[in-house]
């Protein structure tokens, strides 16, 4: 029966969190969402989840939710996620990612919540020299966003050594796509991820897009990334909790598909699937963009029994297109 105890999902009104809410509900878990709606949307949260608006770093509120709902596990998505913003305003990231996480972990320990799933990122690796990147690669983040997440991993590591706490830190590579039933998807006002930018350009929501650098040491000169479907990612969180519930050890796991696609391949696939061409201009390389970033994922597959179902670029792009078309059509309905 324990596996049906309620879970607290912070950031459940955001892009990835709203997909995770669906995955946990479908797996049979009662879900309580805590989100301050700073970038999330109330109506992204599935109707059968309990929604509470507030700060994941508010210890009184979190204590109250744990007691009131009998929470035994926390899935922590809440945070600030825009890399360039983290460079311009680093202390915001150390507050909302690192300090909020510190308080949340402390509150969990104080109330005996000893299962914690954390949204980490491939940004903790910085500019890896060996690809595919395995979890034991050096962690040398090159921006405050990555550092703020790595510091949270360190806090979890040290807290788990000192207290009754087990956790899974999941390092996501490039998250893409949308719920296959178009119930939720990306809604960020400013698109920063490639598939999202190209999808919006194809649907006329952006005037066009830029490719940053075509002189990398890759087959077509553009950067190569590993894209992971957001619903596959959400599913991994359910498996991570089951892993902890069945007595599994703390783990740090990459989530990706072990397959890289170039920027040009993504753009061409979006144009082909949408049937629309759009303006693509070349721009100089951006600082801190490695030529090739692909995950080694054997550890996640072995530890969790995780098998991504939507690994293909076409599926990810088709789902993103479907979501935006449904959303745009909904907005035009009087
Ligand atoms: N999108 C990606 O490609 C990606 C890659 C690696 C890691 N991640 C991580 O995944 C998590 C979710 O990212 P996302 O893309 O869904 O972003 P998002 O901005 O859509 O979601 C973040 C959610 O957290 C909420 N939030 C922010 N600060 C909060 C706080 N202090 N208290 C309560 N709620 C708060 C926001 O309102 C929003 O709903 C983040 O932790 C992010 O660092 C995302």
């Amino acid at each position: 029966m324990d596996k049906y105890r309620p879970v607290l999902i912070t950031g459940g009104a955001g892009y990835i969190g709203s997909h995770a809410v669906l995955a946990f509900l479908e797996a049979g878990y009662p879900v309580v969402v805590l989100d301050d709606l700073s970038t999330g949307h109330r109506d992204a949260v599935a109707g059968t989840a309990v929604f509470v608006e507030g700060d994941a770093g508010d210890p009184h509120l979190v204590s109250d939710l744990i007691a009131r709902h009998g929470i035994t596990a926390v899935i922590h998505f809440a945070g600030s996620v825009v890399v360039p913003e983290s460079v311009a305003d680093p202390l915001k990231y150390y507050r909302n990612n690192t300090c909020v996480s510190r308080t949340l972990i402390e509150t969990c320990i104080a109330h005996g919540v000893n299962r914690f799933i954390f949204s980490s990122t491939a940004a903790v690796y910085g500019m890896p020299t060996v690809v595919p990147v395995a979890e034991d690669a050096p962690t040398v983040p090159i921006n405050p966003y990555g550092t703020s997440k790595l510091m949270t991993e360190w806090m979890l590591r040290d807290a788990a050594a000192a207290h009754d706490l087990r956790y899974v830190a999941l390092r996501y590579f490039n998250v893409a796509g949308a719920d296959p039933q178009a119930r939720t998807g990306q809604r960020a006002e400013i698109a920063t991820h490639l598939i999202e930018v190209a999808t919006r350009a194809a649907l006329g929501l952006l005037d066009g897009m830029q490719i940053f650098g075509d002189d990398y040491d890759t087959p077509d000169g553009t950067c190569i990334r590993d894209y992971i479907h957001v619903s596959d990612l959400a599913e991994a969180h359910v498996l991570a909790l089951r892993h902890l519930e069945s007595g599994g050890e703390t783990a740090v796991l990459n989530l990706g598909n072990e397959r890289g696609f170039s920027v040009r391949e993504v753009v061409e696939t979006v144009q082909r699937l949408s049937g629309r061409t759009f303006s693509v201009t070349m721009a100089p390389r951006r600082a801190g963009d490695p030529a090739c970033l692909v995950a080694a994922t054997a550890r996640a597959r072995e530890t969790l029994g995780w098998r991504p179902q939507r690994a293909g670029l076409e599926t990810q792009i088709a789902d993103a297109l479907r979501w935006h078309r449904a959303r745009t059509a909904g907005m035009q309905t009087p």
Side-chain angles (χ1 to χ4, degrees):
M1 288 305 291
D2 192 37
K3 74 178 179 179
Y4 295 110
R5 296 289 296 279
V7 295
L8 177 65
I9 300 188
T10 73
Y15 169 47
I16 302 171
S18 62
H19 290 80
V21 170
L22 290 170
F24 276 95
L25 288 172
E26 280 160 17
Y29 290 88
V31 170
V32 179
V33 170
L34 173 59
D35 197 299
D36 67 3
L37 300 182
S38 52
T39 58
H41 299 266
R42 171 69 186 87
D43 62 1
V45 180
T48 48
V50 173
F51 177 78
V52 177
E53 182 174 345
D55 183 358
D58 175 344
H60 305 293
L61 175 58
V62 173
S63 300
D64 180 56
L65 292 178
I66 290 171
R68 190 145 32 105
H69 296 281
I71 300 291
T72 55
V74 169
I75 326 296
H76 180 36
F77 293 96
S80 300
V81 307
V82 182
V83 171
E85 184 190 47
S86 82
V87 176
D89 189 0
L91 297 180
K92 170 178 176 179
Y93 280 68
Y94 292 122
R95 176 175 51 76
N96 205 37
N97 292 350
T98 314
C99 296
V100 164
S101 298
R102 197 208 72 83
T103 305
L104 181 63
I105 296 163
E106 185 176 53
T107 309
C108 286
I109 291 167
H111 293 274
V113 175
N114 58 6
R115 297 160 190 165
F116 198 98
I117 315 287
F118 173 57
S119 294
S120 191
T121 167
V124 299
Y125 296 117
M127 302 278 275
T129 48
V130 177
V131 178
V133 188
E135 289 85 349
D136 52 7
T139 44
V140 271
I142 56 166
N143 50 60
Y145 169 68
T147 308
S148 72
K149 290 285 182 173
L150 183 59
M151 288 163 77
T152 302
E153 285 196 21
W154 288 344
M155 289 190 294
L156 282 166
R157 180 197 61 196
D158 296 344
H163 304 283
D164 173 25
L165 175 72
R166 280 173 302 129
Y167 68 92
V168 178
L170 298 169
R171 294 176 176 166
Y172 316 157
F173 280 63
N174 288 58
V175 188
D179 173 55
Q181 297 175 47
R183 292 170 293 182
T184 184
Q186 272 267 22
R187 288 167 71 164
E189 273 172 40
I190 299 170
T192 51
H193 295 78
L194 175 65
I195 289 183
E196 184 63 16
V197 169
T199 300
R200 291 187 191 192
L203 298 179
L205 303 170
L206 291 175
D207 287 339
M209 60 169 288
Q210 293 179 306
I211 291 180
F212 298 100
D214 63 354
D215 57 351
Y216 286 95
D217 184 17
T218 60
D220 69 15
T222 64
C223 286
I224 290 175
R225 294 289 179 270
D226 185 342
Y227 296 93
I228 166 83
H229 193 292
V230 62
S231 296
D232 284 337
L233 192 80
E235 184 61 28
H237 292 71
V238 176
L239 296 173
L241 181 54
R242 290 212 176 118
H243 165 78
L244 294 178
E245 283 176 343
S246 58
E249 294 295 317
T250 282
V252 177
L253 307 171
N254 286 341
L255 294 179
N257 276 309
E258 278 194 0
R259 166 121 199 246
F261 293 96
S262 76
V263 175
R264 272 197 210 288
E265 281 178 287
V266 169
V267 170
E268 284 164 14
T269 309
V270 171
Q271 294 193 335
R272 179 164 50 77
L273 291 182
S274 66
R276 304 260 187 88
T277 51
F278 47 85
S279 150
V280 180
T281 49
M282 296 311 307
R285 291 182 182 198
R286 289 184 301 199
D289 266 346
C292 181
L293 200 52
V294 174
T297 61
R299 201 190 275 186
R301 289 166 190 266
E302 282 160 22
T303 309
L304 305 182
W306 179 62
R307 300 284 177 273
Q309 302 297 309
R310 304 169 189 86
L313 191 57
E314 296 198 353
T315 309
Q316 298 176 17
I317 291 172
D319 286 346
L321 283 166
R322 186 181 307 108
W323 156 249
H324 278 295
R325 284 187 169 127
R327 189 162 169 250
T328 319
M331 282 172 174
Q332 285 162 359
T333 307

